[in-house]
């Protein structure tokens, strides 16, 4: 499948860029598109369009914003197979997983449509103070204006939805910079929103180099809020350059899973394997570290490896593919280096660790030194480490050793252990009797430590994209 040259989307029109760059399939390196490479001036044009459209979106009633988002959900659902194949093509996400992402994206925009009608302030009892007697006060919520959205490759439609959805629901306008490897799904979004009735300028899609396009969005004074998903290094840089903008940062993790001695291993093993290797492990809440009670360690490892061996590697466009190519060859090379480092420090390879037909095999490492990179950094690859622990307290301590804290999971039949984990795990979300990769799109989602600041989940993201205005009447 060859995709035509893709232009910038600015002010409701497809705009020819000053230059274009080839886009290749991560799986077989075939050319799939020629994509606009915006410069700073073109990015400023997009910001100007969003800035001019502010008044239109601000004046739009809630029911109309909800209707547009509902139309978008309906249109995307109608073209769901096309959208899924686009994700599989540009990002090498296996087709079944891509279909799941589209289903979630439809639901996310439905949530956004619902939340557009629930934005409200509150009354303030000023007479609680002597000096407030004789006054009536209330608050109203108003859109911030222009929202800059910078998104990653691994969920190119749903993570965009978690930024565009709440921004439009709140009455803002958006300048969207998708990941360089996965821009095609954002162009489809622009097409669908135009058909859904979104005014010109309310969404602008600008593709190109992150240092050029991203920096222009982050530093422009007309952009009042930023939502970014990506690496901690880039997130920290964004926050340092953003000035007084509102900033939401989702910066990844190396999520841990704790397995208690009373866990029904056969009942959860497939879930754990999918959480470790889904989308080639390129998920912020992918299971990277598993801590298993020593009494069941060998049994758990045997079943985990056996289930891993059943995974099918290959073309992401095939119906039965479970694991395909990583997003870029350099990332695969990095992953191999991290595996070799772990082995040099005493880790055992229970499965994988090699490349077959240009694909990194799902890799299971045992008894990993906690100081090596696969243990303490975000691997973002089909690699999982499994270490034994003497008890659940040690498991909690090991999870907390990380500089990250997005989500963690624990399997246990002991209510007291579950509550202990919920209290002591230093993460944004604790998932009991399920994997840390669990997410539904209306729950609060975000982390602590180097996993970022702020929360996604439509209702919670909305708060970052609204201003509170106080109104006081003296009787």
């Amino acid at each position: 499948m060859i995709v035509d040259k893709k232009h910038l989307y600015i002010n409701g029109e497809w705009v020819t860029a000053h230059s274009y760059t080839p886009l290749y399939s991560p799986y077989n390196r075939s050319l799939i598109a020629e994509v606009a490479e915006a410069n700073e001036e073109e990015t400023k044009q997009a910001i100007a369009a969003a800035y001019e459209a502010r008044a239109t979106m601000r004046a739009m009633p809630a029911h109309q914003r909800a209707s547009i988002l509902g139309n978008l959900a309906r249109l995307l659902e109608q073209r769901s197979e096309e959208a899924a194949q686009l994700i599989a093509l540009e990002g090498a996400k296996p087709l079944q997983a891509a279909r799941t992402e589209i289903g979630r994206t439809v639901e996310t925009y439905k949530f956004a449509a619902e939340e557009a009608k629930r934005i409200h302030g509150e009354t303030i009892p000023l007479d609680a103070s002597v000096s407030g007697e004789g006054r009536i006060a209330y608050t109203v919520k108003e859109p911030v204006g222009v929202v800059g959205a910078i998104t990653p490759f691994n969920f190119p439609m749903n993570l965009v939805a978690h930024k565009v959805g709440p921004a439009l629901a709140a009455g803002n306008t958006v300048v969207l910079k998708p990941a360089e490897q996965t821009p095609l799904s954002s162009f489809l979004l622009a097409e669908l929103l135009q058909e859904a009735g979104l005014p010109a300028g309310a969404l602008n899609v600008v593709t190109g180099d992150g240092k050029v396009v991203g920096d222009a969005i982050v530093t422009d004074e007309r952009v009042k809020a930023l939502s970014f998903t990506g690496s901690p290094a880039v997130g920290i840089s964004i926050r340092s350059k953003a000035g007084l903008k509102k900033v939401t940062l989702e910066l990844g993790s190396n999520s841990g899973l704790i397995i208690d001695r009373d866990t029904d291993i056969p009942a959860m093993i497939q879930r754990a394997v999918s959480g470790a290797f889904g989308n080639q492990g390129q998920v912020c809440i992918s299971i990277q570290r598993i801590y298993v009670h020593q009494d069941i360690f060998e049994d758990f490892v045997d079943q985990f490896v056996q289930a891993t061996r059943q995974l099918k590697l290959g073309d992401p466009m095939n119906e039965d593919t479970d694991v395909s190519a990583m997003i870029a060859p350099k990332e695969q090379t990095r992953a191999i280096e991290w595996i070799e480092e772990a082995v040099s420090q005493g880790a055992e390879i229970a499965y994988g660790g090699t490349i077959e037909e240009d694909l990194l095999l799902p890799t299971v490492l045992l008894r990993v030194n906690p100081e090596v990179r696969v243990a303490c950094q975000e691997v973002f690859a089909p690699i999982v480490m499994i270490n034994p622990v003497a008890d659940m307290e040690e498991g909690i301590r090991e999870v907390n050793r990380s500089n990250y804290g997005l989500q963690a999971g624990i399997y246990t039949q002991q209510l007291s252990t579950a509550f202990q984990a919920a209290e002591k795990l230093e993460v944004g979300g604790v998932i009991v009797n399920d994997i840390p990769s669990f997410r539904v799109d209306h729950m609060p989602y975000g982390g602590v430590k180097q996993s970022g600041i702020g929360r996604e989940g439509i209702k919670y993201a909305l708060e970052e994209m609204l201003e509170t205005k106080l109104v006081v009447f003296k009787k």
Side-chain angles (χ1 to χ4, degrees):
M1 176 181 177
I2 301 297
V3 181
D4 293 336
K5 182 175 285 189
K6 306 301 293 186
H7 308 297
L8 304 172
Y9 184 74
I10 299 175
N11 202 29
E13 298 180 346
W14 298 102
V15 178
T16 301
H18 81 289
S19 67
Y20 291 78
T21 188
L23 180 68
Y24 297 98
S25 161
Y27 174 67
N28 59 19
R29 308 307 299 165
S30 62
L31 178 67
I32 57 177
E34 294 283 339
V35 180
E37 184 88 1
N39 58 22
E40 183 177 359
E41 180 182 349
E42 289 162 338
T43 306
K44 295 292 185 182
Q45 291 174 9
I47 296 171
Y51 191 77
E52 289 301 314
R54 289 175 309 141
T56 300
M57 285 300 293
R58 184 185 181 93
M60 184 181 291
H63 71 84
Q64 190 174 342
R65 299 195 304 272
S67 178
I68 291 171
L69 289 163
N71 290 342
L72 171 60
R74 176 179 51 81
L75 292 168
L76 179 58
E77 197 163 26
Q78 290 172 357
R79 297 175 66 176
S80 59
E81 183 61 21
E82 174 190 349
Q85 295 209 16
L86 199 61
I87 289 174
L89 180 69
E90 66 178 352
K93 176 173 286 190
L95 188 56
Q96 292 290 353
R99 289 174 179 147
T100 298
E101 179 179 347
I102 296 303
R104 286 183 55 191
T105 304
V106 169
E107 190 171 54
T108 299
Y109 283 121
K110 288 179 179 178
F111 285 135
E114 293 165 0
E115 291 298 335
K117 296 182 284 187
R118 296 173 180 157
I119 299 169
H120 58 83
E122 61 182 356
T123 57
I124 311 297
L126 291 187
D127 61 355
S129 169
V130 173
S131 58
E133 290 183 30
R135 289 172 170 83
I136 297 172
Y138 62 90
T139 61
V140 292
K141 299 288 186 177
E142 299 181 340
V144 296
V146 180
V147 174
I150 303 174
T151 58
F153 72 85
N154 56 332
F155 285 86
M157 291 213 79
N158 198 40
L159 289 185
V160 166
H162 275 282
K163 303 178 189 311
V164 172
L168 298 181
N172 295 298
T173 61
V174 182
V175 179
L176 168 63
K177 187 234 172 283
E180 292 173 58
Q181 180 59 44
T182 54
L184 305 183
S185 47
S186 289
F187 290 132
L188 175 61
L189 170 66
E191 178 186 334
L192 295 178
L193 271 171
Q194 190 175 57
E195 185 178 351
L198 188 70
L203 172 69
N204 305 272
V205 181
V206 189
T207 49
D209 181 77
K211 292 182 179 178
V212 176
V213 177
D215 279 4
I217 294 171
V218 168
T219 58
D220 195 293
E221 293 182 355
R222 293 169 293 185
V223 178
K224 297 302 182 182
L226 296 166
S227 183
F228 168 79
T229 301
S231 72
V234 176
I236 291 168
S237 175
I238 285 174
R239 195 175 188 192
S240 70
K241 296 175 182 177
L244 296 179
K245 294 177 175 64
K246 291 189 169 190
V247 180
T248 301
L249 302 174
E250 199 275 276
L251 305 180
S253 192
N254 56 0
S255 295
L257 174 64
I258 307 169
I259 308 295
D260 204 350
R261 70 202 308 176
D262 57 11
T263 299
D264 183 350
I265 298 173
M268 55 76 65
I269 203 70
Q270 292 293 341
R271 182 79 170 144
V273 170
S274 67
F277 302 123
N279 197 23
Q280 294 76 259
Q282 298 168 135
V283 181
C284 294
I285 42 178
S286 175
I287 303 173
Q288 185 173 328
R289 301 177 294 148
I290 304 179
Y291 300 101
V292 184
H293 195 287
Q294 60 189 9
D295 290 355
I296 62 167
F297 178 76
E298 298 296 341
D299 190 19
F300 180 88
V301 169
D302 287 346
Q303 294 190 45
F304 191 94
V305 170
Q306 182 179 357
T308 301
R309 290 180 183 275
Q310 304 305 311
L311 296 174
K312 295 183 178 180
L313 279 66
D315 189 336
M317 306 302 288
N318 290 343
E319 295 282 348
D320 60 351
T321 294
D322 298 306
V323 178
S324 188
M326 293 181 66
I327 197 65
K330 67 177 182 179
E331 294 302 319
Q332 186 167 274
T333 300
R334 174 191 60 80
I336 288 291
E337 291 174 354
W338 288 24
I339 292 169
E340 292 173 346
E341 178 197 41
V343 171
S344 72
Q345 296 297 313
E348 308 166 29
I349 299 178
Y351 184 74
T354 60
I355 296 172
E356 293 187 5
E357 298 182 357
D358 293 327
L359 302 179
L360 176 61
L361 288 178
T363 299
V364 182
L365 300 174
L366 307 180
R367 298 180 175 87
V368 176
N369 184 323
E371 302 301 325
V372 301
R373 285 175 290 185
V374 294
C376 61
Q377 297 185 30
E378 183 177 40
V379 68
F380 230 61
I383 302 171
V384 67
M385 53 160 278
I386 309 176
N387 283 8
V389 291
D391 50 37
M392 293 301 94
E393 289 79 3
E394 182 183 358
I396 292 170
R397 289 195 302 271
E398 288 300 311
V399 170
N400 287 345
R401 285 172 66 102
S402 175
N403 290 326
Y404 298 101
L406 188 48
Q407 291 193 165
I410 180 169
Y411 277 87
T412 181
Q413 297 304 310
Q414 302 301 314
L415 190 59
S416 59
T417 301
F419 277 115
Q420 180 185 22
E423 177 184 354
K424 294 186 176 180
L425 284 167
E426 299 167 358
V427 292
V430 177
I431 314 299
V432 179
N433 288 332
D434 204 352
I435 58 176
S437 316
F438 171 79
R439 183 183 183 184
V440 290
D441 294 288
H442 62 302
M443 76 185 203
Y445 175 79
V448 298
K449 304 180 185 179
Q450 290 188 22
S451 285
I453 54 174
R455 292 293 182 271
E456 289 187 343
I458 303 300
K459 172 185 175 182
Y460 306 91
L462 266 169
E463 293 299 319
E464 304 295 326
M465 300 177 181
L466 292 165
E467 297 285 7
T468 300
K469 177 183 286 183
L470 174 69
V471 180
V472 180
F473 282 83
K474 184 177 180 182
K475 294 180 183 179

